[in-house]
Amino acid sequence: MKTANLAIVFTDIQGFSERTSRQTLEENERLLRVHGELLVPLFKAFGGRILKSIGDAFMVTFESPTQAVLSGMAIQDRLWQYNQTAPAAERLDVRVAINVGEVRLEEQDVFGEPVNIAARVESITEAGEVFFTEAVYLAMNKAEVPSREVGLFELKGIPGKIRVFRVPRGPYRMGAPEQEAPPEPAPERPPFGNLALSRVPESMLAPGDLATAAAQVGERLAQRTRTVLLAVKTHRQRRWPPSPRALKVGGAALALVLLLAVGGFLLLRDSPVEAAIEAAANRELPSAERAEWGEKARKLISEDKELPAGERRWLLGRLEEALQRPERAVEHYRLGAKAGEERAGMQLIEMLENPDCRLRVEVADTLGELRLVSARNALETLAKKGGAGEKPGLFGCDSREAAARALGRLGR
């Protein structure tokens, strides 16, 4: 049995379950995408390894408890920046909890009491805060990380009481934990004064950051500029050099994209993988070029060794859909959902509305196999109304019956 001494970090979004119940699937997917774009680069910047991403929750390991706490501080300051301009309905209020200890290593997962304690500490952590255990406090570099004791807590399923600390709001006196609450920062300043966030190179931040939009824009603009040029051509065949009018229109569009990015009115949120998938789905591009983008996306997914298994399958499923191979996408989404990737399940639910009856049958059977409770409403609608191409009978297609079978597997 292989073991290691690691810092365990759990994060989640305050009120996520309640929000998902009143939002559309598209809104939920967008929320999770933005959430990931903001947090993932910061985990990686401080040496974190993402083990699980289930819905709004991340489980990340760090070799250094100091780096784990700094990543939590950077996350809260980055979210503070995001929330300054985000609509009230799109705000992200996240809590961060950290513990350290010896854990068992098994493939892409870790187990042991340190993990359980970190999860329990998360349950008492407040939104916008970074809580950590006494084990973290004793092991971390106190010259780098400020701290303040919160108190002793009895945590469910954990013997004895656990002493919990938190990162106080700035300004700081480094060293021993603060005994009195320091002055709260002015409302216009981030909670932890960018103490940790300032250490992160701009090139590592998410594409949604205005400060790094120019650095991330190149790959997206290459595809978008080709699309603009294709759109303004009067003939379908390729011509080079393009006409003066095409250059003028394409150049103006390119300048507009750059201007909006710098001005803060346009946020290019797609990651390089998602940008490549988007290009592969673009029907205005020649089929050969779309295939090239598909291969590029597949290569990016394959080369990212830290990508969680569920997210990897979700991205591969999206790629297969972009390349108009939905049957292959279903299998990727099935494996992604089994690995705990909520977005994979959401994609399967959306596919119940596909005009291909046989595909709907396959998707319904897959949802029944997964026993995905969140699919109940969509399956009930399909079982009642059916869809295009319904031909009940021995050699026909009946997605209503498939939906009813799936509901039977879900139970009541």
Side-chain angles (χ1 to χ4, degrees):
M1 180 178 65
K2 189 176 181 181
T3 64
N5 199 57
L6 297 173
I8 311 297
V9 176
F10 280 98
T11 73
D12 68 3
I13 302 173
Q14 181 185 41
F16 177 74
S17 298
E18 188 264 334
R19 288 173 72 170
T20 57
S21 65
R22 67 172 188 266
Q23 293 182 158
T24 65
L25 290 174
E26 291 77 10
E27 289 171 332
N28 290 335
E29 184 177 348
R30 183 170 63 250
L31 173 71
L32 291 174
R33 184 174 67 248
V34 173
H35 173 244
E37 288 172 353
L38 293 172
L39 269 63
V40 169
L42 296 175
F43 290 137
K44 294 183 178 181
F46 289 91
R49 180 170 178 249
I50 300 171
L51 293 185
K52 292 182 181 179
S53 172
I54 304 176
D56 66 318
F58 279 106
M59 175 181 170
V60 188
T61 60
F62 292 78
E63 293 185 0
S64 163
T66 303
Q67 297 297 308
V69 180
L70 288 172
S71 77
M73 296 169 62
I75 284 168
Q76 298 296 12
D77 281 349
R78 180 65 191 93
L79 290 173
W80 179 90
Q81 293 175 359
Y82 168 79
N83 287 336
Q84 295 305 296
T85 56
E90 297 180 13
R91 283 178 56 90
L92 289 170
D93 297 301
V94 168
R95 51 187 182 176
V96 181
I98 310 166
N99 186 37
V100 67
E102 188 175 34
V103 295
R104 300 194 316 275
L105 305 178
E106 295 184 14
E107 296 182 354
Q108 296 295 315
D109 212 342
V110 295
F111 300 92
E113 189 168 81
V115 179
N116 300 334
I117 292 175
R120 294 304 184 192
V121 172
E122 184 188 34
S123 69
I124 63 171
T125 303
E126 300 170 5
E129 299 286 354
V130 180
F131 277 26
F132 52 93
T133 62
E134 186 174 22
V136 175
Y137 170 72
L138 293 172
M140 72 186 191
N141 184 348
K142 300 171 188 59
E144 292 188 69
V145 179
S147 60
R148 181 182 177 214
E149 185 174 337
V150 179
L152 286 168
F153 292 85
E154 290 184 355
L155 304 176
K156 183 178 179 180
I158 307 298
K161 293 185 176 181
I162 302 296
R163 191 179 304 276
V164 176
F165 294 76
R166 72 176 178 90
V167 180
R169 307 299 173 101
Y172 303 115
R173 294 194 304 273
M174 310 302 284
E178 298 281 356
Q179 298 302 314
E180 298 180 1
E184 291 295 315
E188 68 275 8
R189 302 188 62 181
F192 304 122
N194 287 335
L195 178 67
L197 188 60
S198 62
R199 303 184 183 193
V200 181
E202 289 186 352
S203 60
M204 296 191 69
L205 295 177
D209 287 300
L210 293 176
T212 58
Q216 301 291 334
V217 79
E219 185 171 1
R220 294 290 307 281
L221 286 181
Q223 184 265 323
R224 291 189 179 188
T225 303
R226 280 194 292 271
T227 302
V228 170
L229 291 174
L230 284 167
V232 300
K233 286 180 181 178
T234 55
H235 301 290
R236 295 300 297 174
Q237 68 268 24
R238 295 190 178 194
R239 295 185 299 171
W240 194 260
S243 67
R245 182 176 182 274
L247 283 173
K248 183 177 180 180
V249 174
L254 178 59
L256 178 61
V257 171
L258 286 171
L259 176 62
L260 291 176
V262 173
F265 299 103
L266 176 65
L267 297 181
L268 301 177
R269 295 192 181 279
D270 287 350
S271 69
V273 174
E274 290 176 323
I277 292 174
E278 179 182 316
N282 190 339
R283 302 286 182 84
E284 295 183 12
L285 295 178
S287 58
E289 191 168 347
R290 291 176 58 200
E292 289 177 8
W293 279 108
E295 288 306 310
K296 182 169 186 178
R298 200 178 303 279
K299 182 178 179 182
L300 288 169
I301 295 169
S302 174
E303 290 178 346
D304 189 348
K305 302 304 181 184
E306 296 186 1
L307 199 63
E311 185 175 357
R312 185 184 306 279
R313 290 293 184 176
W314 171 69
L315 288 170
L316 287 170
R318 288 187 55 202
L319 176 58
E320 295 296 350
E321 282 200 274
L323 296 174
Q324 298 178 286
R325 297 193 291 242
E327 298 84 1
R328 297 185 186 182
V330 172
E331 178 62 11
H332 285 302
Y333 290 146
R334 182 185 73 83
L335 293 172
K338 288 187 71 173
E341 176 55 67
E342 186 171 296
R343 291 171 294 183
M346 292 166 63
Q347 289 294 127
L348 285 170
I349 293 171
E350 287 187 10
M351 293 179 79
L352 288 174
E353 299 180 4
N354 193 283
D356 184 337
C357 179
R358 296 192 183 281
L359 182 67
R360 293 197 305 272
V361 169
E362 182 181 358
V363 172
D365 288 340
T366 299
L367 290 169
E369 174 195 339
L370 293 170
R371 289 179 169 79
L372 198 64
V373 176
S374 58
R376 184 183 300 280
N377 290 341
L379 286 168
E380 288 176 346
T381 299
L382 181 60
K384 181 178 180 181
K385 299 181 179 180
E390 298 280 353
K391 293 182 180 179
L394 183 60
F395 300 104
C397 179
D398 192 343
S399 63
R400 284 185 293 186
E401 181 182 346
R405 286 199 305 269
L407 286 169
R409 299 188 71 175
L410 292 183
R412 296 295 177 180

